[in-house]
Amino acid sequence: MTETPNAYAEAGVDIEAADRAIELMKGWVEKSRRPEMIGGLGGFAGLFDVSALKNYEHPLLATSTDGVGTKVDIARRMDKHDTIGFDLVGMVVDDLVVCGAEPLFMTDYIATGKVVPERIAAIVKGIAEACVEAGCALVGGETAEHPGLLAPDEYDVAGATTGVVEKSRLLGAHKVEAGDVVIAMKASGLHSNGYSLVRHVFFNKAGWDLDRQVDELGSSLGEELLVPTRIYAKACLALADATGTHAMSHITGGGLAANLARVMPKELSATLDRATWTPQPIFDLVRKVGAVPQPDLEATLNLGVGMVALTPADDVDTAIATLAGFGIEAWVAGEVTPGDGSVTLTGQHAGW
């Protein structure tokens, strides 16, 4: 008797491969467990015990969702998939922490043309390790096989996180005051924004390959483009505890000025001095190789600043020391004055 092929497999979906991927990723997910996490992988929903919220006077839940954009193309072409999870977690937890919320748990979604268990497990490994760094639990996720829509080696990732903050400790524009200083926190590199521009510059305009060794970078182009996003969550929560910080801004798509403006009250303005820092070589390389005007760079890339805090001037030394304790270089980049809600960059980076 001839066996009938599985109809779903004929359509391009391999359920057995998906099951094997789940088995491979279980150990990594377990490493991200928090005490409040109930059960493990395999259920229809992730469970998280929120009875601890009884200790809050007025708990506010915060949530954030995002992906990593076209940076996944670099991971695919490099065939290195265990760092893209840091980009995913960084994008969501650091959006969350700017309001002072502690990230509690996260879920992820991976869509791929073909489930390769080892590749999926590598992606989840990175997500789980990044969750440990952020202090949140990876309570569940979903892997979907999309044959015909994505090529076998293509995939995309997205995630969502939930956190909590005491209402009285909520950070934001409502707390910002004239006289606050702008504390800039160094980025690890490009993070996960502007890769459509970066890919256009290096691949389409310059015709460079990922294995090209670039003296200015001290590495190959691919290695630099795959540097993971820095996760600021624990450091920013410690900063909020140690100082009277009023607001924070995660510098992602749109650049420094546009993102900082999101937490500026309409009656105040911020002025930042470019001379207080020098962007990493990758930013200057994009500028020169692509002949990209500086305003376009500043409207797209973080230019070396991944997070900023608006903090009372008296707390500057404590703030910078607190961040240094988490390995984050920080400096005073500007100040808040009476104004109209705008953010202005003045001066110029050394060497630019």
Side-chain angles (χ1 to χ4, degrees):
M1 181 178 177
T2 303
E3 292 187 4
T4 302
N6 179 284
Y8 215 5
E10 281 191 336
V13 178
D14 189 341
I15 296 175
E16 291 183 1
D19 290 340
R20 173 164 163 71
I22 291 173
E23 288 302 315
L24 290 175
M25 70 176 71
K26 278 184 176 179
W28 295 110
V29 173
E30 188 64 24
K31 291 180 183 295
S32 72
R33 176 178 289 274
R34 285 177 51 134
E36 304 95 333
M37 185 175 168
I38 298 173
L41 292 183
F44 286 96
L47 297 174
F48 194 88
D49 182 355
V50 295
S51 60
L53 299 190
K54 294 177 182 177
N55 297 324
Y56 285 73
E57 291 184 9
H58 192 153
L60 300 179
L61 290 181
T63 185
S64 173
T65 186
D66 208 341
V68 301
T70 58
K71 188 169 184 175
V72 294
D73 179 59
I74 309 300
R76 178 186 64 82
R77 293 171 62 171
M78 295 278 290
D79 194 24
K80 180 173 174 54
H81 311 284
D82 60 352
T83 62
I84 204 75
F86 279 81
D87 300 294
L88 179 61
V89 175
M91 287 300 101
V92 295
V93 301
D94 288 334
D95 272 0
L96 191 81
V97 79
V98 298
C99 70
E102 175 192 1
L104 298 175
F105 59 85
M106 178 170 174
T107 56
D108 66 74
Y109 179 83
I110 305 170
T112 183
K114 179 179 176 57
V115 170
V116 177
E118 291 74 17
R119 183 169 63 208
I120 298 299
I123 297 170
V124 174
K125 170 181 179 288
I127 295 172
E129 290 179 329
C131 282
V132 172
E133 188 165 319
C136 65
L138 181 59
V139 298
E142 178 72 15
T143 300
E145 203 165 29
H146 291 172
L149 293 180
L150 296 170
D153 65 337
E154 290 181 339
Y155 64 88
D156 199 8
V157 296
T161 187
T162 298
V164 62
V165 58
E166 186 72 70
K167 183 179 180 181
S168 63
R169 304 193 66 189
L170 183 69
L171 305 181
H174 63 288
K175 288 191 172 181
V176 178
E177 299 177 353
D180 283 351
V181 296
V182 181
I183 297 177
M185 304 178 212
K186 187 174 182 179
S188 58
L190 291 164
H191 286 185
S192 302
N193 303 103
Y195 271 74
S196 293
L197 171 63
V198 171
R199 289 164 56 249
H200 175 67
V201 166
F202 291 126
F203 303 154
N204 298 338
K205 296 186 72 171
W208 288 10
D209 294 322
L210 287 170
D211 60 1
R212 180 189 181 104
Q213 293 295 315
V214 183
D215 290 342
E216 295 93 328
L217 302 177
S219 69
S220 71
L221 177 64
E223 288 170 329
E224 176 64 34
L225 297 188
L226 212 55
V227 170
T229 298
R230 172 164 284 158
I231 295 174
Y232 299 92
K234 287 183 178 179
C236 284
L237 290 174
L239 176 66
D241 284 340
T243 69
T245 290
H246 293 140
M248 301 182 201
S249 178
H250 188 199
I251 311 306
T252 56
L256 178 54
N259 279 289
L260 181 52
R262 296 167 68 179
V263 295
M264 291 299 301
K266 61 182 180 181
E267 71 277 7
L268 298 176
S269 292
T271 302
L272 284 72
D273 184 359
R274 298 184 186 95
T276 60
W277 83 97
T278 300
Q280 292 96 322
I282 183 62
F283 298 103
D284 198 26
L285 203 62
V286 173
R287 178 174 73 100
K288 291 178 178 177
V289 172
V292 181
Q294 188 164 341
D296 289 346
L297 285 177
E298 292 179 335
T300 309
L301 306 177
N302 67 55
L303 289 190
V305 178
M307 183 78 78
V308 298
L310 301 179
T311 303
D314 291 346
D315 283 342
V316 166
D317 291 343
T318 300
I320 291 177
T322 298
L323 294 169
F326 288 85
I328 295 175
E329 181 181 341
W331 63 94
V332 174
E335 63 178 345
V336 176
T337 58
D340 57 4
S342 63
V343 176
T344 303
L345 300 180
T346 64
Q348 186 55 284
H349 307 297
W352 281 46

